[in-house]
Amino acid sequence: MKVFKILSLALCFGLLSFSAQAEISAEMEDPMSLSSSSVFVDQITAEKLGLSEDEVKIPGESGYLWNKFKLSTKTFFTFDASKKADLEVKRANLELLAAKKAIETDADGNEGFFNKALAKYNKRMATAEKRIQKLPEDQKATALEKIDTQNLKHQQLLRDLTEKLPEQVKEKVTAIRKERVESWYKNHKDNLEARLEAAAKNEDGGRFGNLQIMSTLEELNESLPVEAQAKIQAVIVNTQNRLSEKLKNLNTTDKEKLEQYIKDINLDEIKKVQLINHLDKTNISADLRYRIQNIKNENINNLEKKFKNLEDDEKNSFLKKHFETGQNGESTKIEMLNRLEQSASSELKVKIRNLNEKQELRIKERVRNTSNQAELDRIEAETIELPVIRREIQERRGLIGEEPSTSNRH
């Protein structure tokens, strides 16, 4: 009887374990399950950076110093320039992932390590970029393809991470993100559009991963000089078109997934509204358009509430932070400035109108700097309520001898 009871208990335990494992497997097979309580959007994991989670160690964990020593030694005794650059990127990835792990484990206790790891990440990437510059052209092209993809993922990881950081650390991360973009661009300007296009196509974020890519590209656009903007905008347009194809004929469940995906993307209100405005120009159903417009209105209302609750000097700082930075004009910013003006003092109303004028001038500059038909279509769709921009677009079409396309209109 005792043997029978033991076997029965073992069988019950086995069935329970199998059931639990099946549930876990089902969630893993469908990471976008609506019942999941985890963060809904795709995160940049160690695997997406070509590593395993076991390789990512922080102080206090077994193997932390040994892993660093092994990789340092391997780099020292590697004499092939291309492999040495790859190892430098791997070391950068490990520093970045260790910083992420540390701050998520204990934000206050690990802040010192986080800052050091982030600085080492930045230094490793700068070293890798310099090594790549010295490679023969055939090896250089392959290395650039890898580093472009890595940089887009790093930008998303740092953006996602910023939301979890204490206020005193956020500015450091923002500064490093900007420095990374500028360094990458400075060292690798050649064939920028083709390379970014290849990196964007290489996204592995699932069905809606192009939304993450669009967000990252938009942020790149704000950090880079005017000379790069038309090239990046062309890649954004192509990414948007690829996304549009994936959004055709979504069923109700997929629409709910997309809705939640947009809600969970770690973007501030302005950038999220900007993303929704771009998405609104794609070939989506009326029902989906209604859903994302609700998210847009929610974000605008949140922004207005934040703005209303600030003192005038704080409102000035807010406007400077969100609307004076970046060289790329956006109709979304004009739309939101008009909303904020309603709750501004007379003095701030003047500042807001000046900021609006600057945005218009920057949009005009975008028009003058492009000869890309799709980009002109995109700007025209964005600025439908700005007649002065539409006139600028018509003049530009006349100069480049092209007729407006109807492919992106709805």
Side-chain angles (χ1 to χ4, degrees):
M1 285 295 292
K2 287 182 179 179
V3 173
F4 178 78
K5 286 180 180 179
I6 292 170
L7 288 172
S8 298
L9 285 171
L11 179 61
C12 289
F13 180 76
L15 288 170
L16 286 171
S17 298
F18 177 81
S19 176
Q21 186 61 43
E23 287 181 17
I24 293 169
S25 298
E27 286 186 11
M28 290 177 67
E29 287 172 7
D30 184 11
M32 296 186 64
S33 167
L34 289 172
S35 63
S36 172
S37 60
S38 61
V39 175
F40 200 74
V41 298
D42 306 284
Q43 301 291 297
I44 300 299
T45 60
E47 284 76 15
K48 288 188 177 182
L49 293 175
L51 300 164
S52 70
E53 292 292 347
D54 290 339
E55 291 179 272
V56 182
K57 303 287 186 181
I58 59 175
E61 290 186 330
S62 175
Y64 168 68
L65 291 175
W66 176 241
N67 278 5
K68 289 179 76 73
F69 174 76
K70 280 195 301 182
L71 193 51
S72 176
T73 304
K74 185 175 182 179
T75 304
F76 182 79
F77 285 105
T78 296
F79 303 104
D80 180 276
S82 179
K83 290 179 181 178
K84 210 172 184 75
D86 281 345
L87 283 170
E88 207 65 58
V89 173
K90 180 176 180 178
R91 295 174 78 183
N93 282 336
L94 284 171
E95 295 291 356
L96 181 58
L97 290 164
K100 176 178 182 287
K101 185 176 184 178
I103 210 72
E104 288 177 343
T105 303
D106 181 0
D108 294 326
N110 289 331
E111 185 180 329
F113 172 78
F114 174 84
N115 290 332
K116 289 178 182 177
L118 213 57
K120 287 178 183 176
Y121 151 74
N122 197 18
K123 183 179 178 182
R124 300 278 182 222
M125 287 301 291
T127 301
E129 287 169 350
K130 289 176 183 175
R131 291 190 188 284
I132 289 170
Q133 281 297 96
K134 297 176 182 178
L135 293 175
E137 285 305 313
D138 56 335
Q139 294 181 18
K140 186 176 179 181
T142 303
L144 282 174
E145 184 179 337
K146 290 180 185 176
I147 208 165
D148 292 338
T149 303
Q150 295 280 308
N151 267 309
L152 289 180
K153 290 177 180 178
H154 291 173
Q155 288 294 311
Q156 183 193 324
L157 186 153
L158 288 167
R159 181 180 70 227
D160 291 345
L161 193 58
T162 304
E163 299 300 312
K164 307 169 188 176
L165 297 175
E167 284 300 322
Q168 69 269 21
V169 185
K170 284 185 178 181
E171 289 186 8
K172 294 178 183 177
V173 177
T174 301
I176 281 185
R177 286 186 69 195
K178 190 172 187 296
E179 185 180 340
R180 276 282 79 246
V181 170
E182 289 173 348
S183 174
W184 164 78
Y185 177 70
K186 178 183 176 183
N187 287 310
H188 310 300
K189 292 181 184 180
D190 296 342
N191 303 315
L192 178 66
E193 184 177 333
R195 286 184 16 243
L196 274 180
E197 181 68 26
K201 284 181 178 179
N202 199 29
E203 62 86 17
D204 52 4
R207 189 168 191 180
F208 307 134
N210 281 306
L211 280 170
Q212 290 281 17
I213 294 293
M214 283 174 63
S215 303
T216 304
L217 290 171
E218 292 284 6
E219 289 177 320
L220 286 184
N221 217 15
E222 286 199 356
S223 301
L224 295 179
V226 174
E227 67 194 47
Q229 289 176 6
K231 297 171 184 176
I232 296 176
Q233 286 293 339
V235 180
I236 291 172
V237 169
N238 292 337
T239 306
Q240 184 173 304
N241 291 340
R242 283 193 294 273
L243 177 63
S244 182
E245 286 300 310
K246 291 186 177 183
L247 298 186
K248 287 180 180 178
N249 305 317
L250 293 183
N251 59 34
T252 301
T253 302
D254 285 336
K255 288 174 185 175
E256 290 172 0
K257 288 178 180 180
L258 177 62
E259 188 178 3
Q260 192 64 46
Y261 195 103
I262 295 169
K263 286 180 180 178
D264 286 350
I265 287 180
N266 285 320
L267 295 170
D268 64 36
E269 287 88 357
I270 298 170
K271 288 188 173 69
K272 188 163 289 191
V273 170
Q274 184 175 312
L275 180 66
I276 290 170
N277 280 345
H278 294 332
L279 184 59
D280 189 44
K281 303 301 182 292
T282 60
N283 186 22
I284 58 177
S285 67
D287 173 46
L288 186 53
R289 184 165 284 112
Y290 174 77
R291 288 171 184 267
I292 65 173
Q293 284 297 325
N294 284 339
I295 303 173
K296 172 183 172 177
N297 292 333
E298 183 182 329
N299 277 270
I300 292 177
N301 290 337
N302 287 341
L303 188 75
E304 282 188 294
K305 285 177 186 176
K306 283 183 185 177
F307 191 70
K308 283 179 182 177
N309 292 330
L310 298 174
E311 299 296 329
D312 269 10
D313 60 331
E314 293 174 321
K315 286 180 178 177
N316 255 311
S317 299
F318 181 90
L319 291 170
K320 183 176 182 180
K321 177 181 178 181
H322 292 289
F323 296 97
E324 288 188 10
T325 56
Q327 303 176 64
N328 188 36
E330 283 290 343
S331 59
T332 298
K333 291 185 177 180
I334 294 175
E335 177 186 2
M336 300 190 84
L337 283 167
N338 288 337
R339 290 284 292 268
L340 296 182
E341 187 180 348
Q342 297 170 21
S343 57
S345 64
S346 299
E347 183 181 344
L348 280 174
K349 284 182 189 293
V350 173
K351 182 179 180 68
I352 287 172
R353 286 165 192 163
N354 287 336
L355 287 171
N356 257 335
E357 288 176 8
K358 286 180 181 177
Q359 288 298 320
E360 286 190 10
L361 288 172
R362 288 172 181 170
I363 295 173
K364 287 181 180 179
E365 192 169 9
R366 279 175 62 191
V367 173
R368 294 176 193 137
N369 283 338
T370 187
S371 298
N372 184 287
Q373 171 74 8
E375 170 63 357
L376 285 174
D377 289 344
R378 184 175 191 254
I379 299 172
E380 187 173 28
E382 290 173 7
T383 57
I384 195 164
E385 296 181 6
L386 296 172
V388 64
I389 304 298
R390 291 175 70 80
R391 285 196 295 273
E392 194 82 24
I393 292 170
Q394 288 170 3
E395 290 175 9
R396 183 63 183 158
R397 290 194 196 282
L399 285 173
I400 62 177
E402 290 182 334
E403 293 298 322
S405 168
T406 57
S407 59
N408 294 325
R409 309 230 181 125
H410 60 263

